């Protein structure tokens, strides 16, 4: 019962009621913060056990979400560092860590919108895939700056997240065309730039994003259209530094076909990996960086991300 809010949030994340890496991390942090205000614990150790439980539930809700994992690990690290055993103090530590994390995420989002908007030239056609709040913010910023451009977005099967993107862009007054995923090559000739979001960035600079992203990157390369990824650096997964592969979530076949023939196999991976050589740049809070430099840039800006992963050894 004491983990009710965490369980509810994990279910919303699993069902995609909360969608996109950033929104997922924000929901998870808020759930941990809310849980911490209510939970009864006798000591710091006791509190930590509850936090570990919450962490495991949230991490399992979607396995390809390092931004959420980095956020929760950060909060737990702050609790571990706290010298006091007083439960009320621990509650404050969690609340402060959560608020700081969300504030920093907001700042990064702002910087990315500002930097990314500069890449959108007047009269440009921007191609995107799925729904990334980071990409939508870049596009809205460019629109606010008075640029006139249009967007082509894929519907993004199986769950049509492209419709969320299209809805938000149209609402913002941006001319938008929705296409089926398989029309990507057909329309790539019309695009000047591709910008997609990210769920995870590996230590080798490869990017994990919604299934179909790597096909779009291939197509963009063939059509000589620059391909950019807009992402907070905290989507970097420190576990990949130490040899682990980023796990790719595989979702229910029912999302693809509700009543298929009984003996049919249906596979439904949620994400795929785009190799760094297809990526012109990662638009992040440090500027536009080469995917090759990801570890160096993360180490400079968020040294704790790498140090908190050391227990992997
Ligand atoms: C969403 C998706 C988005 C990234 C980045 O997949 O792949 O491109 O999560 O989003 P799903 P953001 O719909 O399966 O969650 O920029 O908002 O973090």
């Amino acid at each position: 019962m004491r983990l009710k809010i965490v369980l509810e949030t994990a279910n919303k994340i699993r069902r995609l009621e909360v969608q996109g890496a950033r929104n997922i991390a924000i929901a998870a942090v808020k759930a941990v913060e809310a849980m911490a205000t209510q939970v009864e614990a006798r000591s710091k150790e006791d509190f930590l056990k509850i936090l570990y439980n919450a962490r495991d539930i949230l991490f399992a809700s979607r396995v390809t979400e390092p931004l959420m994992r980095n956020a929760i690990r950060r909060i737990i690290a702050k609790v571990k560092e706290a010298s006091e055993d007083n439960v009320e103090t621990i509650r404050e530590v969690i609340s402060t860590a959560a608020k700081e994390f969300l504030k920093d995420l907001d700042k990064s989002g702002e910087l990315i919108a500002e930097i990314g908007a500069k890449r959108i030239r007047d009269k440009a056609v921007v191609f995107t895939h799925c729904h990334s709040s980071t990409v939508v913010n870049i596009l809205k910023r460019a629109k606010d700056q008075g640029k006139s451009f249009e967007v082509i977005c894929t519907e993004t099967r199986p769950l049509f997240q492209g419709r969320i993107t299209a809805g938000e862009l149209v609402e913002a007054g941006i001319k938008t065309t929705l296409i089926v995923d398989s029309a990507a090559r057909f329309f790539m000739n019309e695009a000047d730039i591709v910008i997609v979001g990210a769920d995870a960035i590996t230590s080798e600079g490869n990017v994990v994003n919604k299934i179909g992203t790597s096909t779009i990157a291939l197509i963009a390369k063939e059509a000589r259209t620059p391909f950019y990824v807009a992402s907070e650096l905290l989507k970097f997964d420190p576990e990949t530094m130490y040899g682990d592969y980023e796990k790719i979530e595989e979702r229910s076949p029912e999302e693809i076909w509700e009543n298929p023939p009984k003996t049919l196999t249906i596979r439904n991976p949620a994400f795929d990996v785009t190799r760094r050589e297809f990526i012109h740049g990662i638009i992040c809070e440090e500027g536009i960086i080469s995917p090759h430099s990801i570890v160096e840039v993360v180490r400079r800006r968020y040294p704790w991300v790498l140090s908190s992963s050391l227990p992997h050894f």
Side-chain angles (χ1 to χ4, degrees):
M1 224 35 212
R2 58 189 183 179
L3 289 172
K4 191 164 172 264
I5 177 118
V6 168
L7 286 163
E8 280 170 4
T9 304
N11 279 332
K12 282 189 190 157
I13 293 173
R14 194 172 293 113
R15 290 196 297 260
L16 296 199
E17 282 167 40
V18 176
Q19 164 281 335
R22 212 182 139 81
N23 292 334
I24 289 169
I26 292 170
V29 166
K30 287 187 175 165
V32 168
E33 189 189 7
M35 179 208 77
T37 58
Q38 299 157 8
V39 89
E40 283 176 25
R42 287 179 301 277
S43 62
K44 178 171 150 181
E45 280 320 300
D46 209 21
F47 220 127
L48 272 170
K49 273 189 206 142
I50 299 165
L51 276 175
Y52 291 146
N53 247 324
R55 173 197 63 190
D56 294 347
I57 292 166
L58 289 164
F59 282 17
S61 65
R62 291 197 79 185
V63 294
T64 319
E65 297 301 347
L67 180 62
M68 163 168 67
R69 293 200 290 273
N70 286 331
I72 306 292
R73 282 200 198 108
R74 178 71 170 157
I75 294 173
I76 293 179
K78 292 273 183 181
V79 173
K80 280 176 156 171
E81 280 164 21
S83 50
E84 288 199 49
D85 197 32
N86 180 309
V87 169
E88 292 315 312
T89 312
I90 305 293
R91 283 193 223 284
E92 274 167 39
V93 169
I94 293 173
S95 169
T96 308
K99 286 192 173 62
E100 259 173 27
F101 190 90
L102 295 175
K103 209 168 116 202
D104 285 352
L105 198 61
D106 242 29
K107 262 195 235 155
S108 306
E110 265 298 300
L111 285 166
I112 295 170
E114 207 50 41
I115 296 162
K118 291 192 196 160
R119 284 281 136 152
I120 297 173
R121 293 205 169 97
D122 208 38
K123 311 265 182 304
V125 176
V126 185
F127 192 109
T128 193
H129 181 53
C130 195
H131 174 256
S132 154
S133 57
T134 318
V135 174
V136 169
N137 283 339
I138 289 175
L139 298 169
K140 283 187 181 165
R141 183 64 53 94
K143 167 84 184 164
D144 290 346
Q145 290 170 350
K147 287 180 187 164
S148 143
F149 59 95
E150 54 183 282
V151 177
I152 297 173
C153 80
T154 57
E155 61 179 356
T156 317
R157 279 283 286 148
L159 291 177
F160 304 104
Q161 286 93 329
R163 292 181 185 174
I164 308 175
T165 307
E168 290 180 2
L169 295 180
V170 166
E171 170 113 19
I174 298 168
K175 186 165 187 278
T176 304
T177 305
L178 187 83
I179 61 169
V180 294
D181 298 1
S182 47
R185 182 63 189 95
F186 188 88
F187 286 100
M188 190 56 76
N189 287 337
E190 295 179 15
D192 298 298
I193 184 171
V194 179
I195 313 181
V196 296
D199 285 271
I201 306 174
T202 74
S203 60
E204 290 163 284
N206 300 329
V207 166
V208 183
N209 190 51
K210 175 56 56 191
I211 192 77
T213 302
S214 67
T215 315
I216 290 167
L218 259 168
I219 290 170
K221 184 160 184 152
E222 193 251 340
R224 295 173 190 263
T225 309
F227 180 96
Y228 286 90
V229 173
S231 170
E232 291 80 8
L233 289 168
L234 288 175
K235 288 178 183 167
F236 171 78
D237 186 348
E239 290 167 63
T240 58
M241 272 284 282
Y242 305 109
D244 288 329
Y245 285 100
E246 187 64 41
K247 289 188 193 65
I248 302 288
E249 174 190 356
E250 186 133 356
R251 299 182 61 84
S252 161
E254 277 174 31
E255 289 180 351
I256 293 179
W257 193 353
E258 230 173 289
N259 292 304
K262 278 204 168 47
T263 52
L264 179 69
T265 304
I266 296 179
R267 300 283 307 275
N268 185 17
F271 305 106
D272 63 19
V273 182
T274 300
R275 290 209 319 269
R276 63 183 179 196
E277 57 265 37
F278 292 90
I279 301 169
H280 276 65
I282 297 178
I283 306 168
C284 67
E285 59 270 45
E286 282 270 304
I288 301 186
I289 62 160
S290 156
H292 293 78
S293 63
I294 189 72
V295 174
E296 187 196 315
V297 179
V298 171
R299 201 190 293 282
R300 188 168 64 224
R301 185 139 185 147
Y302 304 106
W304 56 267
V305 170
L306 289 144
S307 59
S308 64
S309 66
L310 286 178
H312 282 276
F313 280 117

